[in-house]
């Protein structure tokens, strides 16, 4: 039998891991949207998420990886929202374009995009992630 350290995570462990990651990303969005990356300290992230910093490090490895996951989530959310609007094929072209523009405006009002904009305007954070504003646009 394989040692316990080599076992695959159970479905329950995977679910708990996803819940923890979601709590942390939700907290990061809230913190970034309200005050930028400077306010996204490890202590504040742990407090707002309700997850210990040790558990956060276990899930993400570093603060930079949290921001990378946040970028992935924001881009996935945006793409999904656009796909939903584009897939409305029962409407005229004008209605679909109007729906698409409305959906983009709605998406840009959400906290995740305020957080994304805060990240875009934080050159030290982007440098830490190995990114530039130009590479994201």
């Amino acid at each position: 039998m394989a040692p316990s350290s080599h076992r695959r995570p159970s479905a329950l462990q995977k679910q708990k891991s996803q819940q923890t990651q979601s709590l942390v990303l939700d907290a990061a969005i809230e913190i970034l949207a309200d005050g930028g990356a400077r306010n996204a300290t490890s202590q504040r992230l742990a407090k707002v998420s309700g997850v210990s910093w040790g558990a956060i490090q276990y899930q993400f490895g570093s603060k930079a990886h949290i921001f990378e996951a946040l970028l992935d989530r924001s881009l996935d959310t945006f793409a999904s929202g656009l796909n939903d609007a584009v897939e409305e094929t029962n409407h005229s072209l004008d209605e679909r374009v109007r729906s698409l523009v409305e959906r983009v405006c709605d998406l840009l009002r959400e906290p995740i995009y305020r957080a994304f904009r805060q990240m875009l305007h934080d050159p030290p954070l982007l440098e830490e992630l190995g990114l530039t504003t130009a590479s994201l646009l």
Side-chain angles (χ1 to χ4, degrees):
M1 181 182 255
S4 62
S5 63
H6 294 8
R7 290 184 188 163
R8 290 186 188 177
S10 69
L12 180 60
Q13 288 170 321
K14 286 181 183 179
Q15 181 183 12
K16 285 185 176 185
S17 180
Q18 289 172 340
Q19 288 172 338
T20 299
Q21 290 173 8
S22 185
L23 287 170
V24 172
L25 291 177
D26 290 346
I29 290 166
E30 179 182 330
I31 293 167
L32 286 168
D34 291 340
R38 286 187 185 86
N39 291 328
T41 64
S42 56
Q43 288 177 326
R44 184 142 187 243
L45 192 55
K47 182 178 180 179
V48 173
S49 68
V51 177
S52 72
W53 180 245
I56 293 171
Q57 286 182 307
Y58 178 80
Q59 291 296 324
F60 291 96
S62 70
K63 204 160 112 175
H65 289 124
I66 296 168
F67 292 125
E68 288 174 10
L70 182 60
L71 285 172
D72 288 343
R73 182 194 262 194
S74 64
L75 294 173
D76 288 347
T77 301
F78 195 74
S80 176
L82 293 181
N83 284 338
D84 292 347
V86 169
E87 289 178 356
E88 295 178 5
T89 57
N90 297 341
H91 304 289
S92 70
L93 179 59
D94 283 347
E95 290 170 324
R96 287 185 290 174
V97 169
R98 185 175 298 113
S99 176
L100 180 63
V101 170
E102 288 173 0
R103 184 64 183 135
V104 167
C105 290
D106 289 344
L107 287 168
L108 293 176
R109 287 186 202 104
E110 292 184 16
I112 194 168
Y113 296 103
R114 288 198 317 271
F116 184 75
R117 285 192 304 272
Q118 289 285 353
M119 291 174 70
L120 284 178
H121 296 292
D122 192 323
L125 174 61
L126 293 175
E127 185 176 322
E128 183 180 344
L129 298 174
L131 301 170
T132 64
T133 303
S135 70
L136 295 171
L137 302 176

